[in-house]
Amino acid sequence: MADGEILGRIDGLIAEEHELRSRSVGVGLNGDDQSRLTQVEQELDQCWDLLRQRRAKTEFHENPEEAKVRSVGEVEGYRQ
């Protein structure tokens, strides 16, 4: 997946996240919507991680196509 495709996916996920969060104001989300919000947040983290990997590989003259999507557990487990 090219950087532009990843960024497009990120844009779509951000729009969906904003829509879900706007629906949650006041009444909260039902179980399905809450589950979807969690999935969207996790997929966003994976997309950002993949993009960072690709950019780092490019910076260090490696093949960005070798970057791989990491598991949710791995991405979510990073220390800030």
Side-chain angles (χ1 to χ4, degrees), residues 46-80:
Q46 287 178 302
C47 286
W48 282 117
D49 175 68
L50 179 60
L51 191 61
R52 282 190 297 271
Q53 286 181 64
R54 290 180 55 81
R55 289 178 174 173
K57 286 187 176 292
T58 299
E59 181 179 344
F60 291 98
H61 309 289
E62 296 177 19
N63 183 358
E65 296 300 318
E66 293 175 356
K68 303 287 185 223
V69 175
R70 298 183 219 215
S71 71
V72 169
E74 187 174 0
V75 173
E76 295 294 317
Y78 290 154
R79 294 185 187 263
Q80 296 295 330

mmCIF file of all heavy atoms in Angstrom, residues 46-80:
data_model
loop_
_atom_site.group_PDB
_atom_site.id
_atom_site.type_symbol
_atom_site.label_atom_id
_atom_site.label_comp_id
_atom_site.label_asym_id
_atom_site.label_seq_id
_atom_site.Cartn_x
_atom_site.Cartn_y
_atom_site.Cartn_z
ATOM 1 N N GLN A 46 -2.791 1.574 13.721
ATOM 2 C CA GLN A 46 -2.045 0.699 12.818
ATOM 3 C C GLN A 46 -1.640 1.437 11.545
ATOM 4 O O GLN A 46 -0.512 1.270 11.064
ATOM 5 C CB GLN A 46 -2.872 -0.528 12.451
ATOM 6 C CG GLN A 46 -3.003 -1.536 13.564
ATOM 7 C CD GLN A 46 -3.865 -2.701 13.166
ATOM 8 O OE1 GLN A 46 -5.037 -2.523 12.806
ATOM 9 N NE2 GLN A 46 -3.305 -3.896 13.221
ATOM 10 N N CYS A 47 -2.526 2.235 11.001
ATOM 11 C CA CYS A 47 -2.216 2.985 9.779
ATOM 12 C C CYS A 47 -1.102 3.998 10.026
ATOM 13 O O CYS A 47 -0.174 4.119 9.216
ATOM 14 C CB CYS A 47 -3.456 3.699 9.249
ATOM 15 S SG CYS A 47 -4.675 2.618 8.473
ATOM 16 N N TRP A 48 -1.194 4.734 11.135
ATOM 17 C CA TRP A 48 -0.137 5.707 11.460
ATOM 18 C C TRP A 48 1.191 4.992 11.651
ATOM 19 O O TRP A 48 2.241 5.468 11.202
ATOM 20 C CB TRP A 48 -0.502 6.516 12.708
ATOM 21 C CG TRP A 48 -1.487 7.604 12.455
ATOM 22 C CD1 TRP A 48 -2.734 7.712 12.992
ATOM 23 C CD2 TRP A 48 -1.328 8.761 11.604
ATOM 24 N NE1 TRP A 48 -3.349 8.859 12.519
ATOM 25 C CE2 TRP A 48 -2.506 9.512 11.673
ATOM 26 C CE3 TRP A 48 -0.296 9.211 10.780
ATOM 27 C CZ2 TRP A 48 -2.692 10.696 10.966
ATOM 28 C CZ3 TRP A 48 -0.479 10.393 10.070
ATOM 29 C CH2 TRP A 48 -1.666 11.121 10.171
ATOM 30 N N ASP A 49 1.175 3.849 12.316
ATOM 31 C CA ASP A 49 2.397 3.085 12.523
ATOM 32 C C ASP A 49 2.991 2.636 11.193
ATOM 33 O O ASP A 49 4.204 2.749 10.969
ATOM 34 C CB ASP A 49 2.113 1.869 13.416
ATOM 35 C CG ASP A 49 3.327 0.972 13.569
ATOM 36 O OD1 ASP A 49 4.316 1.412 14.200
ATOM 37 O OD2 ASP A 49 3.297 -0.160 13.046
ATOM 38 N N LEU A 50 2.156 2.131 10.306
ATOM 39 C CA LEU A 50 2.627 1.686 8.990
ATOM 40 C C LEU A 50 3.230 2.856 8.220
ATOM 41 O O LEU A 50 4.292 2.718 7.599
ATOM 42 C CB LEU A 50 1.482 1.052 8.200
ATOM 43 C CG LEU A 50 1.817 0.551 6.793
ATOM 44 C CD1 LEU A 50 2.910 -0.513 6.841
ATOM 45 C CD2 LEU A 50 0.556 0.014 6.116
ATOM 46 N N LEU A 51 2.579 3.997 8.261
ATOM 47 C CA LEU A 51 3.093 5.184 7.572
ATOM 48 C C LEU A 51 4.452 5.600 8.149
ATOM 49 O O LEU A 51 5.382 5.907 7.395
ATOM 50 C CB LEU A 51 2.081 6.324 7.677
ATOM 51 C CG LEU A 51 2.342 7.546 6.810
ATOM 52 C CD1 LEU A 51 2.352 7.193 5.329
ATOM 53 C CD2 LEU A 51 1.293 8.613 7.095
ATOM 54 N N ARG A 52 4.576 5.583 9.465
ATOM 55 C CA ARG A 52 5.869 5.920 10.091
ATOM 56 C C ARG A 52 6.955 4.925 9.677
ATOM 57 O O ARG A 52 8.092 5.319 9.399
ATOM 58 C CB ARG A 52 5.736 5.943 11.618
ATOM 59 C CG ARG A 52 5.087 7.204 12.143
ATOM 60 C CD ARG A 52 5.190 7.305 13.663
ATOM 61 N NE ARG A 52 4.479 6.237 14.346
ATOM 62 C CZ ARG A 52 3.201 6.280 14.699
ATOM 63 N NH1 ARG A 52 2.482 7.352 14.432
ATOM 64 N NH2 ARG A 52 2.640 5.265 15.317
ATOM 65 N N GLN A 53 6.613 3.642 9.638
ATOM 66 C CA GLN A 53 7.578 2.634 9.200
ATOM 67 C C GLN A 53 8.050 2.915 7.780
ATOM 68 O O GLN A 53 9.252 2.868 7.494
ATOM 69 C CB GLN A 53 6.952 1.236 9.208
ATOM 70 C CG GLN A 53 6.736 0.599 10.536
ATOM 71 C CD GLN A 53 6.147 -0.776 10.316
ATOM 72 O OE1 GLN A 53 6.788 -1.643 9.727
ATOM 73 N NE2 GLN A 53 4.919 -0.979 10.785
ATOM 74 N N ARG A 54 7.089 3.186 6.885
ATOM 75 C CA ARG A 54 7.423 3.435 5.480
ATOM 76 C C ARG A 54 8.312 4.672 5.345
ATOM 77 O O ARG A 54 9.286 4.659 4.592
ATOM 78 C CB ARG A 54 6.147 3.608 4.650
ATOM 79 C CG ARG A 54 5.350 2.319 4.473
ATOM 80 C CD ARG A 54 4.104 2.545 3.641
ATOM 81 N NE ARG A 54 4.389 3.137 2.366
ATOM 82 C CZ ARG A 54 4.811 2.471 1.287
ATOM 83 N NH1 ARG A 54 4.994 1.170 1.342
ATOM 84 N NH2 ARG A 54 5.042 3.102 0.154
ATOM 85 N N ARG A 55 7.996 5.717 6.068
ATOM 86 C CA ARG A 55 8.792 6.945 5.985
ATOM 87 C C ARG A 55 10.192 6.728 6.545
ATOM 88 O O ARG A 55 11.166 7.249 6.001
ATOM 89 C CB ARG A 55 8.062 8.082 6.688
ATOM 90 C CG ARG A 55 6.851 8.524 5.887
ATOM 91 C CD ARG A 55 6.073 9.609 6.565
ATOM 92 N NE ARG A 55 5.005 10.093 5.685
ATOM 93 C CZ ARG A 55 4.080 10.948 6.066
ATOM 94 N NH1 ARG A 55 4.073 11.436 7.296
ATOM 95 N NH2 ARG A 55 3.148 11.334 5.212
ATOM 96 N N ALA A 56 10.307 5.957 7.618
ATOM 97 C CA ALA A 56 11.626 5.665 8.184
ATOM 98 C C ALA A 56 12.463 4.842 7.205
ATOM 99 O O ALA A 56 13.650 5.116 7.015
ATOM 100 C CB ALA A 56 11.484 4.929 9.511
ATOM 101 N N LYS A 57 11.848 3.854 6.571
ATOM 102 C CA LYS A 57 12.577 3.046 5.599
ATOM 103 C C LYS A 57 13.044 3.904 4.428
ATOM 104 O O LYS A 57 14.177 3.761 3.961
ATOM 105 C CB LYS A 57 11.721 1.878 5.116
ATOM 106 C CG LYS A 57 11.595 0.784 6.161
ATOM 107 C CD LYS A 57 10.902 -0.435 5.612
ATOM 108 C CE LYS A 57 10.866 -1.543 6.623
ATOM 109 N NZ LYS A 57 12.160 -2.123 6.945
ATOM 110 N N THR A 58 12.200 4.798 3.971
ATOM 111 C CA THR A 58 12.585 5.694 2.875
ATOM 112 C C THR A 58 13.749 6.579 3.302
ATOM 113 O O THR A 58 14.722 6.747 2.555
ATOM 114 C CB THR A 58 11.379 6.548 2.441
ATOM 115 O OG1 THR A 58 10.345 5.677 1.970
ATOM 116 C CG2 THR A 58 11.758 7.516 1.345
ATOM 117 N N GLU A 59 13.659 7.126 4.501
ATOM 118 C CA GLU A 59 14.707 8.014 5.008
ATOM 119 C C GLU A 59 16.062 7.314 5.077
ATOM 120 O O GLU A 59 17.099 7.925 4.820
ATOM 121 C CB GLU A 59 14.320 8.530 6.389
ATOM 122 C CG GLU A 59 15.330 9.485 6.989
ATOM 123 C CD GLU A 59 14.921 10.002 8.363
ATOM 124 O OE1 GLU A 59 13.735 9.868 8.730
ATOM 125 O OE2 GLU A 59 15.805 10.529 9.054
ATOM 126 N N PHE A 60 16.049 6.034 5.405
ATOM 127 C CA PHE A 60 17.292 5.291 5.548
ATOM 128 C C PHE A 60 17.597 4.422 4.328
ATOM 129 O O PHE A 60 18.337 3.441 4.415
ATOM 130 C CB PHE A 60 17.274 4.475 6.843
ATOM 131 C CG PHE A 60 17.332 5.346 8.062
ATOM 132 C CD1 PHE A 60 16.180 5.674 8.757
ATOM 133 C CD2 PHE A 60 18.535 5.892 8.475
ATOM 134 C CE1 PHE A 60 16.225 6.500 9.866
ATOM 135 C CE2 PHE A 60 18.593 6.728 9.581
ATOM 136 C CZ PHE A 60 17.441 7.042 10.277
ATOM 137 N N HIS A 61 17.028 4.813 3.186
ATOM 138 C CA HIS A 61 17.308 4.202 1.880
ATOM 139 C C HIS A 61 17.000 2.709 1.857
ATOM 140 O O HIS A 61 17.715 1.926 1.246
ATOM 141 C CB HIS A 61 18.754 4.481 1.463
ATOM 142 C CG HIS A 61 19.111 5.924 1.539
ATOM 143 N ND1 HIS A 61 18.605 6.857 0.645
ATOM 144 C CD2 HIS A 61 19.878 6.614 2.419
ATOM 145 C CE1 HIS A 61 19.064 8.054 0.970
ATOM 146 N NE2 HIS A 61 19.842 7.941 2.042
ATOM 147 N N GLU A 62 15.930 2.336 2.549
ATOM 148 C CA GLU A 62 15.429 0.968 2.504
ATOM 149 C C GLU A 62 14.139 0.966 1.699
ATOM 150 O O GLU A 62 13.559 2.010 1.412
ATOM 151 C CB GLU A 62 15.188 0.441 3.919
ATOM 152 C CG GLU A 62 16.453 0.338 4.758
ATOM 153 C CD GLU A 62 16.179 -0.122 6.176
ATOM 154 O OE1 GLU A 62 15.098 -0.695 6.440
ATOM 155 O OE2 GLU A 62 17.046 0.113 7.035
ATOM 156 N N ASN A 63 13.664 -0.204 1.365
ATOM 157 C CA ASN A 63 12.447 -0.353 0.574
ATOM 158 C C ASN A 63 11.216 -0.176 1.465
ATOM 159 O O ASN A 63 10.958 -1.013 2.338
ATOM 160 C CB ASN A 63 12.422 -1.730 -0.092
ATOM 161 C CG ASN A 63 11.221 -1.932 -0.978
ATOM 162 O OD1 ASN A 63 10.352 -1.073 -1.097
ATOM 163 N ND2 ASN A 63 11.167 -3.082 -1.612
ATOM 164 N N PRO A 64 10.432 0.892 1.252
ATOM 165 C CA PRO A 64 9.240 1.106 2.083
ATOM 166 C C PRO A 64 8.184 0.016 1.903
ATOM 167 O O PRO A 64 7.344 -0.179 2.779
ATOM 168 C CB PRO A 64 8.723 2.470 1.639
ATOM 169 C CG PRO A 64 9.294 2.679 0.286
ATOM 170 C CD PRO A 64 10.602 1.937 0.251
ATOM 171 N N GLU A 65 8.253 -0.717 0.794
ATOM 172 C CA GLU A 65 7.289 -1.792 0.564
ATOM 173 C C GLU A 65 7.492 -2.958 1.541
ATOM 174 O O GLU A 65 6.629 -3.819 1.664
ATOM 175 C CB GLU A 65 7.374 -2.293 -0.878
ATOM 176 C CG GLU A 65 6.984 -1.244 -1.910
ATOM 177 C CD GLU A 65 5.563 -0.733 -1.735
ATOM 178 O OE1 GLU A 65 4.655 -1.554 -1.471
ATOM 179 O OE2 GLU A 65 5.362 0.486 -1.859
ATOM 180 N N GLU A 66 8.617 -2.979 2.227
ATOM 181 C CA GLU A 66 8.877 -4.029 3.206
ATOM 182 C C GLU A 66 8.206 -3.757 4.552
ATOM 183 O O GLU A 66 8.188 -4.623 5.419
ATOM 184 C CB GLU A 66 10.386 -4.201 3.401
ATOM 185 C CG GLU A 66 11.081 -4.741 2.169
ATOM 186 C CD GLU A 66 12.587 -4.801 2.323
ATOM 187 O OE1 GLU A 66 13.121 -4.355 3.364
ATOM 188 O OE2 GLU A 66 13.230 -5.283 1.382
ATOM 189 N N ALA A 67 7.663 -2.551 4.737
ATOM 190 C CA ALA A 67 6.943 -2.226 5.971
ATOM 191 C C ALA A 67 5.689 -3.084 6.045
ATOM 192 O O ALA A 67 5.033 -3.341 5.040
ATOM 193 C CB ALA A 67 6.592 -0.747 6.006
ATOM 194 N N LYS A 68 5.384 -3.549 7.228
ATOM 195 C CA LYS A 68 4.236 -4.437 7.442
ATOM 196 C C LYS A 68 3.306 -3.870 8.506
ATOM 197 O O LYS A 68 3.755 -3.235 9.461
ATOM 198 C CB LYS A 68 4.711 -5.817 7.908
ATOM 199 C CG LYS A 68 5.680 -6.501 6.971
ATOM 200 C CD LYS A 68 4.978 -6.997 5.746
ATOM 201 C CE LYS A 68 5.956 -7.789 4.887
ATOM 202 N NZ LYS A 68 5.871 -7.529 3.494
ATOM 203 N N VAL A 69 2.026 -4.149 8.343
ATOM 204 C CA VAL A 69 1.047 -3.780 9.371
ATOM 205 C C VAL A 69 1.323 -4.643 10.586
ATOM 206 O O VAL A 69 1.425 -5.866 10.485
ATOM 207 C CB VAL A 69 -0.399 -4.012 8.868
ATOM 208 C CG1 VAL A 69 -1.407 -3.742 9.976
ATOM 209 C CG2 VAL A 69 -0.689 -3.151 7.653
ATOM 210 N N ARG A 70 1.488 -3.986 11.721
ATOM 211 C CA ARG A 70 1.740 -4.714 12.964
ATOM 212 C C ARG A 70 0.407 -5.010 13.662
ATOM 213 O O ARG A 70 -0.587 -4.334 13.431
ATOM 214 C CB ARG A 70 2.630 -3.889 13.884
ATOM 215 C CG ARG A 70 3.988 -3.621 13.286
ATOM 216 C CD ARG A 70 4.840 -2.866 14.261
ATOM 217 N NE ARG A 70 5.629 -1.862 13.586
ATOM 218 C CZ ARG A 70 6.854 -1.521 13.941
ATOM 219 N NH1 ARG A 70 7.428 -2.099 14.961
ATOM 220 N NH2 ARG A 70 7.499 -0.585 13.298
ATOM 221 N N SER A 71 0.430 -5.994 14.516
ATOM 222 C CA SER A 71 -0.792 -6.381 15.233
ATOM 223 C C SER A 71 -1.257 -5.241 16.137
ATOM 224 O O SER A 71 -0.469 -4.391 16.554
ATOM 225 C CB SER A 71 -0.542 -7.630 16.080
ATOM 226 O OG SER A 71 0.283 -7.310 17.184
ATOM 227 N N VAL A 72 -2.542 -5.257 16.444
ATOM 228 C CA VAL A 72 -3.106 -4.255 17.342
ATOM 229 C C VAL A 72 -2.390 -4.297 18.690
ATOM 230 O O VAL A 72 -2.036 -3.261 19.249
ATOM 231 C CB VAL A 72 -4.631 -4.470 17.523
ATOM 232 C CG1 VAL A 72 -5.176 -3.613 18.650
ATOM 233 C CG2 VAL A 72 -5.362 -4.185 16.217
ATOM 234 N N GLY A 73 -2.143 -5.488 19.199
ATOM 235 C CA GLY A 73 -1.469 -5.626 20.485
ATOM 236 C C GLY A 73 -0.089 -4.988 20.492
ATOM 237 O O GLY A 73 0.303 -4.342 21.467
ATOM 238 N N GLU A 74 0.632 -5.160 19.398
ATOM 239 C CA GLU A 74 1.959 -4.572 19.314
ATOM 240 C C GLU A 74 1.900 -3.060 19.223
ATOM 241 O O GLU A 74 2.602 -2.358 19.927
ATOM 242 C CB GLU A 74 2.707 -5.153 18.103
ATOM 243 C CG GLU A 74 4.143 -4.732 18.027
ATOM 244 C CD GLU A 74 4.907 -5.415 16.911
ATOM 245 O OE1 GLU A 74 4.329 -6.249 16.168
ATOM 246 O OE2 GLU A 74 6.099 -5.109 16.771
ATOM 247 N N VAL A 75 1.030 -2.550 18.370
ATOM 248 C CA VAL A 75 0.915 -1.111 18.179
ATOM 249 C C VAL A 75 0.359 -0.444 19.434
ATOM 250 O O VAL A 75 0.847 0.600 19.865
ATOM 251 C CB VAL A 75 0.040 -0.781 16.947
ATOM 252 C CG1 VAL A 75 -0.230 0.711 16.840
ATOM 253 C CG2 VAL A 75 0.706 -1.289 15.676
ATOM 254 N N GLU A 76 -0.652 -1.041 20.027
ATOM 255 C CA GLU A 76 -1.276 -0.459 21.208
ATOM 256 C C GLU A 76 -0.366 -0.565 22.432
ATOM 257 O O GLU A 76 -0.539 0.174 23.398
ATOM 258 C CB GLU A 76 -2.618 -1.129 21.509
ATOM 259 C CG GLU A 76 -3.672 -0.908 20.440
ATOM 260 C CD GLU A 76 -4.116 0.529 20.317
ATOM 261 O OE1 GLU A 76 -4.331 1.177 21.350
ATOM 262 O OE2 GLU A 76 -4.250 0.999 19.177
ATOM 263 N N GLY A 77 0.612 -1.467 22.395
ATOM 264 C CA GLY A 77 1.484 -1.677 23.528
ATOM 265 C C GLY A 77 2.712 -0.775 23.565
ATOM 266 O O GLY A 77 3.521 -0.871 24.478
ATOM 267 N N TYR A 78 2.865 0.113 22.569
ATOM 268 C CA TYR A 78 4.022 1.013 22.562
ATOM 269 C C TYR A 78 4.002 1.923 23.764
ATOM 270 O O TYR A 78 2.962 2.400 24.191
ATOM 271 C CB TYR A 78 4.022 1.909 21.314
ATOM 272 C CG TYR A 78 4.298 1.209 20.017
ATOM 273 C CD1 TYR A 78 3.803 1.739 18.838
ATOM 274 C CD2 TYR A 78 5.045 0.048 19.951
ATOM 275 C CE1 TYR A 78 4.051 1.105 17.625
ATOM 276 C CE2 TYR A 78 5.284 -0.568 18.749
ATOM 277 C CZ TYR A 78 4.789 -0.043 17.600
ATOM 278 O OH TYR A 78 5.037 -0.658 16.401
ATOM 279 N N ARG A 79 5.159 2.199 24.271
ATOM 280 C CA ARG A 79 5.280 3.183 25.360
ATOM 281 C C ARG A 79 5.517 4.535 24.730
ATOM 282 O O ARG A 79 6.299 4.669 23.801
ATOM 283 C CB ARG A 79 6.447 2.829 26.271
ATOM 284 C CG ARG A 79 6.211 1.548 27.017
ATOM 285 C CD ARG A 79 7.344 1.316 27.993
ATOM 286 N NE ARG A 79 7.231 0.022 28.597
ATOM 287 C CZ ARG A 79 6.676 -0.179 29.772
ATOM 288 N NH1 ARG A 79 6.189 0.821 30.457
ATOM 289 N NH2 ARG A 79 6.595 -1.397 30.268
ATOM 290 N N GLN A 80 4.872 5.544 25.274
ATOM 291 C CA GLN A 80 5.027 6.907 24.761
ATOM 292 C C GLN A 80 6.180 7.594 25.437
ATOM 293 O O GLN A 80 6.539 7.367 26.513
ATOM 294 C CB GLN A 80 3.746 7.706 24.982
ATOM 295 C CG GLN A 80 2.590 7.134 24.215
ATOM 296 C CD GLN A 80 2.750 7.221 22.714
ATOM 297 O OE1 GLN A 80 3.379 8.129 22.196
ATOM 298 N NE2 GLN A 80 2.221 6.245 22.015
#
